[in-house]
Amino acid sequence: MAIIDPADMDKDLSVGEVAERSGVAVSTIHFYESKGLIASWRSSGNQRRFPRDVLRRIAIIKVAQRLGVPLATIAQALKTLPDGRTPTAEDWKRLSAAWKADLDERIAVLTKLRDGLEGCIGCGCLSLGECPLRNPWDELSEDGPGPRLLDPR
Amino acid sequence: MAIIDPADMDKDLSVGEVAERSGVAVSTIHFYESKGLIASWRSSGNQRRFPRDVLRRIAIIKVAQRLGVPLATIAQALKTLPDGRTPTAEDWKRLSAAWKADLDERIAVLTKLRDGLEGCIGCGCLSLGECPLRNPWDELSEDGPGPRLLDPR
DNA sequence: TCCTGACCTCAAGTGAAGTTGAGGTCATAT
DNA sequence: ATATGACCTCAACTTCACTTGAGGTCAGGA
C-alpha cells in the first residue's frame, strides 16, 4: 500500500493503520479495545475495522495518561461520548477541564510536600508523631483523615 | 510484654517491635530486608533482631517514597550509610537534598504540562505533530530527545 | 501454487511494592 | 500438657499497563 487514494479517506481503518497513524503499538490497540476504551467492527475476514474517530480517542487517551489519569478513569470518561462520533472540541473541553483539576491538585500536594521537606532538611528529626513529613494528616493532608495509602502520585 | 523497662532501651528489636514502632507491616519489613534496605542478625531461635537504627532507616524510606523515589533508588542511597550506625542529621541532609531536586523537577514537568493543557483546552486539535500536549520534545521535554516512555510521574 | 505479511486468539510474562497463605518452629502462660 | 501468639520460609497472588509468544487464518502477488 503506497499512496492513499483521496476517495478512501472516509474508509474505516485496519488495526495496522491505526497503529501507524496514532503512534501506538498494535498490541496496545487490542488491549484498549479489550478494556472498552475503543470499539471496532469486523470485516468479512474477521479483521478489526475502526471508525476514524478512534484516532482522536487515542489522542485523548495518551494525553490523559501524561496527565496521570489511570486508564480505568479514562474509560469512564470516554463512555460519556457518543459511540463512533468524533469527539468534538466541546467534548475535549469538558474532559480536559476535569483532568486539569486533578492535575492542579497533584501539583499542590507535591508542592506542599516539597515545602515540608525544605523545613525538614535542616531538622532531620523524622519522628513518627512529630515530623510533618511523616504524618500526612497535618498541613500535608491529601484527602481527609482516615487510613490511606501514602501515595502522592 | 506490658511496660518497657528503661534498661532495655538499647536492646535490639524484634520484627514485631519494629513493625509497631515504625508503623509498617511485618511483611513489609521482611520485604525491605530481602531488598537490602535494612539488615538484621538472628537470635538463637532464628528470629530477626534489628539494631535500633532500623527505625530511622524506615523513616527515611517512607519519606522518600512520599517524595516519589523508587525503592531501588532508596536502596542505593542507604548503601552509602555506614552499616548499623543511626543515620545522622548530616546524612539525612545529603539524601533529602538530592531527592528534593528530583521533586522540584517533577513539579516543574507537571506544571509545564498543566500550562500546555490550559492552552489546549480551548484549541482541541490534539494532532500528532502539532499539539504540544502530544509531542514531548517541544516545551514539554523532560529529559532530552530520543525514544522515551511518556510517564511524567 | 506457494510465500509473505498482516491479521487473529489466548495465555503468560514484566516490574514495582508489597500482601496473603500454607505449613512449621519456639517460648511462655495456664 | 497444651494452647496461644509471635515468629520462620517460600510461593503465589495483587494492580496497572502493557508486551511477548505460540499457533493459526486470510488475501494478494510472483
Side-chain angles (χ1 to χ4, degrees):
Chain A
M1 183 163 298
I3 295 167
I4 298 172
D5 181 346
D8 292 342
M9 279 304 290
D10 55 351
K11 283 245 169 47
D12 285 343
L13 304 165
S14 71
V15 69
E17 286 166 336
V18 173
E20 197 180 354
R21 298 173 70 91
S22 68
V24 312
V26 170
S27 63
T28 305
I29 297 170
H30 286 359
F31 176 72
Y32 286 168
E33 191 183 17
S34 80
K35 293 284 168 184
L37 287 131
I38 54 180
S40 67
W41 54 278
R42 298 305 177 103
S43 72
S44 60
N46 194 35
Q47 295 192 357
R48 287 170 180 84
R49 290 297 176 258
F50 294 91
R52 309 205 130 241
D53 79 294
V54 78
L55 293 175
R56 198 161 173 81
R57 279 173 185 259
I58 292 175
I60 290 175
I61 293 167
K62 285 298 159 191
V63 170
Q65 287 197 297
R66 289 196 76 195
L67 301 180
V69 183
L71 268 196
T73 307
I74 301 173
Q76 291 286 336
L78 290 181
K79 272 180 198 125
T80 69
L81 301 182
D83 237 55
R85 189 202 73 193
T86 297
T88 64
E90 213 34 57
D91 292 328
W92 163 242
K93 197 164 168 177
R94 184 165 51 79
L95 299 183
S96 60
W99 292 334
K100 178 178 174 304
D102 278 13
L103 181 55
D104 283 341
E105 200 186 319
R106 268 181 311 122
I107 291 174
V109 167
L110 289 179
T111 302
K112 272 185 183 156
L113 202 49
R114 178 183 57 189
D115 295 348
L117 180 58
E118 215 134 326
C120 285
I121 285 181
C123 151
C125 73
L126 290 179
S127 99
L128 195 62
E130 298 210 5
C131 177
L133 275 183
R134 296 212 61 196
N135 294 283
W137 31 257
D138 194 25
E139 336 227 3
L140 292 165
S141 81
E142 271 172 62
D143 228 3
R148 212 151 259 303
L149 267 356
L150 307 175
D151 190 330
R153 284 220 197 105
Chain B
M1 185 163 296
I3 296 166
I4 298 172
D5 181 345
D8 291 341
M9 281 303 291
D10 55 351
K11 283 246 168 49
D12 286 342
L13 303 165
S14 72
V15 69
E17 287 166 336
V18 173
E20 197 178 355
R21 298 172 70 91
S22 68
V24 311
V26 169
S27 63
T28 305
I29 296 170
H30 287 0
F31 176 72
Y32 286 168
E33 192 185 16
S34 80
K35 293 284 168 185
L37 288 130
I38 54 180
S40 66
W41 53 279
R42 298 304 178 102
S43 74
S44 60
N46 193 34
Q47 294 192 358
R48 287 171 179 83
R49 289 297 176 259
F50 294 90
R52 309 204 130 242
D53 79 294
V54 78
L55 295 176
R56 198 162 173 81
R57 278 172 185 261
I58 292 175
I60 290 175
I61 294 166
K62 284 299 160 189
V63 171
Q65 287 197 296
R66 288 196 78 197
L67 301 181
V69 183
L71 268 196
T73 307
I74 302 173
Q76 291 285 336
L78 290 181
K79 271 180 198 126
T80 70
L81 300 182
D83 237 54
R85 189 201 74 192
T86 298
T88 63
E90 213 36 55
D91 292 329
W92 164 240
K93 197 163 168 176
R94 184 165 51 80
L95 300 183
S96 59
W99 292 334
K100 178 179 174 306
D102 278 13
L103 181 54
D104 282 341
E105 200 187 318
R106 267 180 313 120
I107 291 174
V109 167
L110 289 179
T111 302
K112 272 184 185 156
L113 201 48
R114 177 184 56 189
D115 295 347
L117 180 58
E118 216 134 326
C120 286
I121 285 182
C123 152
C125 73
L126 290 180
S127 100
L128 194 63
E130 297 211 6
C131 178
L133 274 183
R134 296 212 63 196
N135 294 283
W137 31 258
D138 194 27
E139 335 229 3
L140 292 165
S141 82
E142 269 172 63
D143 227 2
R148 212 150 260 304
L149 265 358
L150 307 174
D151 191 330
R153 283 219 194 105

